[in-house]
Amino acid sequence: MISGIDQTQFIDKYVEPAGDRLLHQFGATVVIAPHPDDESLGCGGTIARLRQAGYPVHVIFVSDGSMSHPQSKQYPADRLRQLRETEALEALRILGVEAEAVQFMRLKDTQVPTPDSPTFTTASRDVADRLENIAPETVLVPWRRDPHPDHRASWHLTQAAVAQLTDPPTVVEYPIWLWELGTNEDRPHLGEVRMQSVAIDSVMALKQQAIAAHCSQVTRLIDDDPTGFYLSPDLLRFFQIPTEVFFQS
């Protein structure tokens, strides 16, 4: 089966433009980002619009992002983690989120625990404690079948965490790699979720600046690892449309 889903066709056919209603429905929001950059790619425009509307936004980064360039001698794991955290804070500053509203769990990149992992219970309790302290109305987390193991694991952690709360927030999902790598099995099935979009025309420049702040991922800044991850212009085109898509059960 050919990977990738026609983004424009899918949105035009299945996704309901929600106007400002969805933003106000989100209200105080926590964004769960598996890696530094997922927040800007998947919902950077929505973050900016929520902040402009006066809603608090917190971001929790699940993994340390240290495996984007695993063979780099110039940027070993600890240095790369520090760089990616600095980039994330700058990206969120551009979007209007204060550093005090950002948390880093620093789980190992590519090893975010899944439900069958012995560390899953501890990690989900950690997420639950963080959410309990923030008490958001909405949690944004990557789509449950987004084609990246850390993204799917982050969804499972979030579901387990929310189930532990006495006053659980609404969980809403955002796709990242669905368009580039997804199969028909990965996409939402009709009737499975409500598919809506937020217009981000007015903040497109901010979103693009936030993405660009992740220099280690969108440039060849780290040039001593030929296997390193790189968000090429071809990949970035999926994040240059004037809408962001959300799925809600």
Side-chain angles (χ1 to χ4, degrees):
M1 179 174 292
I2 297 174
S3 293
I5 293 171
D6 188 308
Q7 182 187 45
T8 301
Q9 184 180 72
F10 183 90
I11 292 173
D12 288 347
K13 187 172 183 179
Y14 298 113
V15 179
E16 165 197 353
D20 291 346
R21 173 182 52 77
L22 193 57
L23 281 176
H24 298 308
Q25 178 184 315
F26 286 171
T29 298
V30 166
V31 176
I32 304 290
H35 313 92
D37 74 6
D38 288 324
E39 82 299 334
S40 298
L41 296 170
C43 50
T46 299
I47 291 172
R49 290 207 58 201
L50 284 167
R51 292 300 297 126
Q52 289 178 356
Y55 293 112
V57 175
H58 288 72
V59 180
I60 299 173
F61 290 101
V62 178
S63 86
D64 62 9
S66 64
M67 290 298 288
S68 68
H69 296 77
Q71 296 182 26
S72 175
K73 300 292 190 292
Q74 199 174 14
Y75 284 86
D78 284 349
R79 187 182 183 200
L80 181 53
R81 173 186 61 77
Q82 292 169 9
L83 173 61
R84 296 201 67 182
E85 290 184 5
T86 299
E87 292 172 344
L89 290 171
E90 173 59 15
L92 288 168
R93 183 196 66 77
I94 291 167
L95 298 174
V97 179
E98 306 86 352
E100 296 75 20
V102 183
Q103 300 180 32
F104 298 95
M105 292 179 63
R106 295 174 179 161
L107 299 179
K108 185 65 176 176
D109 191 1
T110 74
Q111 297 178 35
V112 175
T114 55
D116 58 353
S117 165
T119 59
F120 182 82
T121 299
T122 300
S124 67
R125 182 66 249 176
D126 186 5
V127 176
D129 289 342
R130 294 170 189 268
L131 293 178
E132 191 168 42
N133 288 335
I134 299 169
E137 297 171 72
T138 303
V139 174
L140 304 182
V141 65
W143 165 238
R144 64 193 71 177
R145 293 191 294 276
D146 206 59
H148 189 299
D150 283 347
H151 293 201
R152 298 185 184 202
S154 295
W155 180 85
H156 282 291
L157 282 177
T158 302
Q159 292 295 319
V162 167
Q164 299 174 52
L165 302 179
T166 54
D167 186 17
T170 301
V171 177
V172 179
E173 303 167 46
Y174 60 93
I176 298 178
W177 297 119
L178 185 65
W179 319 118
E180 170 70 11
L181 301 173
T183 66
N184 284 332
E185 283 72 27
D186 297 326
R187 63 185 282 177
H189 309 310
L190 288 180
E192 181 180 17
V193 290
R194 186 176 185 183
M195 296 178 271
Q196 302 178 84
S197 65
V198 169
I200 60 167
D201 315 56
S202 62
V203 293
M204 275 295 289
L206 292 176
K207 175 170 179 168
Q208 297 310 310
Q209 290 169 32
I211 292 173
H214 293 279
C215 297
S216 65
Q217 308 300 297
V218 301
T219 73
R220 298 297 190 181
L221 172 70
I222 303 176
D223 59 6
D224 66 338
D225 182 358
T227 69
F229 179 73
Y230 172 55
L231 275 165
S232 67
D234 189 53
L235 288 176
L236 288 173
R237 65 189 169 90
F238 294 107
F239 309 103
Q240 294 169 345
I241 63 171
T243 58
E244 289 175 342
V245 176
F246 297 95
F247 307 139
Q248 183 176 348
S249 298

